[in-house]
Amino acid sequence: MTEDTSFTLHTGESDNSASNASVPFFAALCLFLSAVEYAVPKPLPFMRLGLANLPILISLAKLRKRDVLLLIVFKVLGQALISGTLFSYVFVFSAAGSVASGLTMLALYLLFRRSGAVSNTGLSVAGAFANNCAQVAVARVMVFGANAKYIAPVLFATGLATGLALGVFADVFCARSEWYRNLTVGNTEGEVSPPLQSPRSAPVFSTSPSTGVSPVTPRIQFIIAMILFPVFLMQQNVFAVWGCTAVFFIMTAVKKHGKVRLLPSLFMTLGVTFFSLLSPYGKVLFSLGSFHITQDALVTGLRKSGILSGMVFLSQFAISPRLELPGRMGRFLGSMFTTFDELTSKRISFKRGHVIEALDARLAELWK
C-alpha cells in the first residue's frame, strides 16, 4: 500500500498536514467521549473525568507531532462548538487545561519514546497534573481569586485518580485493539495511513437533514450574541445580571425547543457562591456556628455565578449545528463533525466486560 497522508476536503481542494484524514477522525472520537462526559453532572463545570484525552494519548505513537498539536486545537474547538460554550468561561478552562495537558504528554513522549521509560499511565497522570495546574491558575484569575486554594486539593485528587484510570485503560486498549494495531502501515515515523475520504460535501457542522431553518438564521443568532456579550459583561448589579441570564435562558430554550440542561448551571451557582462565602466581608446576615454569611460575599458570589451561567446560555444561543464557517478551517471542522455524526449514528452496545471490544469494532468499521 502506498502511503499518502493527504485527503480531499469537502470542496475538492488538496491540503497539506492539516488535511491528514486521521486528525478529524481522532478529533471526532474526542467529541464522542466528551459528549459522554458532558452528560455526567459535576459540582463545578470545569471538573472533568478526562475521557476526551484518550484519543490524544493514543495518538502520540501514531500521528506526527504537528498533527498531534492540530488534534489538540480541534479537540478544544470541537468541544466548545458541540456544547455551545465557545464564548463562555468554560472555553477558557477547557483550552488552558487541554493545551497544558496535550503539550506535557507530547513532550514527555518525545523525550522518553526511545527508552520506553514512560507508559500511557505515566503520560496520562502527567497530563492530568498539567491540566489541573492550568485550571487552578485560570480559576484563581477568573472566578475564585485566593479561594482557588480550596478547590485545588479536590482537583488534584480527582485528576490523579482519573489520570491513573485513563492511563491504565489506554494501555489495555492499545494492547487489545485490532483497530489501533492496524493504524500504522509501512512506515517508521508513526504516521497513519489515510482511513477515509470525506463522504459528503456539506461544509457544515451537522450532516443531519435540514429542519427547514434558513441558513441565514444561525448567522443572525451569532451576530446578536456577539452584540449582547460585551453589554452583559459590563453589568454590575446582581439583579440585572440574573435578569439577563433569565432572558438568555429563554432565548436558548426557544431556539432548542425547551431542550436546555439546567443542572450544570445549578451546580455551578451553588459551587461558585459557596466558595465566595469562604471569604466573608460586609454585613453579617446570619451565622452557622463560627461560619458567617455576609451580604457582600453573597452578592459577589451570586453575580459571578450569574455571569458564568449567562455566558453559557448566550454561547448556546450563538452556536448552531448549521452554522457555517468559511475557508479551510470551516471545511476541516465540517469533516470532523461529519465523522462525529457517523460515529454516533449507530448505538454502541457496551456489554459488561466487553467495552474495549465494542468500541474497537465501531472504530474499525468507520475506519474502513
Side-chain angles (χ1 to χ4, degrees), residues 7 48 59 104 128 163 260 267 291:
F7 82 124
R48 297 180 178 273
S59 73
T104 297
V260 183
F267 275 119
F291 184 68

Side-chain angles (χ1 to χ4, degrees), residues 146-162:
N147 288 332
K149 63 185 178 183
Y150 295 113
I151 68 169
V154 178
L155 283 178
F156 284 113
T158 56
L160 176 61
T162 57

Side-chain angles (χ1 to χ4, degrees), residues 90-349:
V90 177
F91 176 75
V92 181
F93 278 100
S94 177
S98 293
V99 171
S101 174
L103 291 180
T104 297
M105 291 192 295
L106 178 59
L108 288 176
Y109 176 77
L110 294 176
L111 187 62
F112 294 107
R113 66 177 175 179
R114 294 187 184 277
S115 63
V118 62
S119 66
N120 283 326
T121 302
L123 292 172
S124 180
V125 171
F129 179 76
N131 182 299
N132 292 149
C133 288
Q135 291 193 334
V136 168
V138 173
R140 180 180 175 85
V141 173
M142 292 189 62
V143 184
F144 300 120
N147 288 332
K149 63 185 178 183
Y150 295 113
I151 68 169
V154 178
L155 283 178
F156 284 113
T158 56
L160 176 61
T162 57
L164 281 171
L166 186 67
V168 171
F169 181 84
D171 279 329
V172 175
F173 179 83
C174 292
R176 293 170 56 182
S177 170
E178 291 288 340
W179 166 75
Y180 184 77
R181 280 199 297 272
N182 293 332
L183 284 180
T184 304
V185 179
N187 68 85
T188 59
E189 296 297 324
E191 297 178 3
V192 180
S193 61
L196 73 162
Q197 303 298 319
S198 182
R200 287 183 286 273
S201 57
V204 294
F205 292 159
S206 174
T207 56
S208 58
S210 174
T211 57
V213 177
S214 168
V216 178
T217 302
R219 291 196 291 269
I220 294 176
Q221 292 172 342
F222 186 86
I223 293 172
I224 290 174
M226 292 304 95
I227 295 173
L228 293 175
F229 183 71
V231 176
F232 176 57
L233 290 181
M234 290 188 295
Q235 300 302 314
Q236 297 297 321
N237 184 280
V238 66
F239 295 105
V241 167
W242 278 100
C244 291
T245 298
V247 171
F248 299 157
F249 169 76
I250 293 172
M251 291 164 55
T252 304
V254 171
K255 170 191 169 183
K256 294 190 171 186
H257 306 288
K259 297 179 179 179
V260 183
R261 299 177 71 234
L262 280 173
L263 199 57
S265 294
L266 176 61
F267 275 119
M268 178 180 59
T269 300
L270 294 175
V272 171
T273 304
F274 172 76
F275 282 107
S276 179
L277 292 174
L278 294 178
S279 296
Y281 65 101
K283 180 182 177 181
V284 177
L285 300 177
F286 60 93
S287 300
L288 299 173
S290 60
F291 184 68
H292 303 295
I293 307 297
T294 58
Q295 179 174 314
D296 290 350
L298 178 62
V299 169
T300 299
L302 289 175
R303 181 184 175 274
K304 285 184 177 180
S305 60
I307 288 287
L308 300 179
S309 295
M311 288 167 68
V312 170
F313 292 138
L314 187 59
S315 186
Q316 290 176 345
F317 176 79
I319 302 300
S320 301
R322 304 297 297 180
L323 178 65
E324 298 182 9
L325 292 180
R328 180 177 296 174
M329 175 74 76
R331 297 193 300 272
F332 196 91
L333 286 170
S335 177
M336 176 178 66
F337 279 96
T338 294
T339 308
F340 174 73
D341 283 346
E342 293 181 345
L343 182 61
T344 57
S345 63
K346 187 170 69 174
R347 182 178 179 182
I348 303 176
S349 180

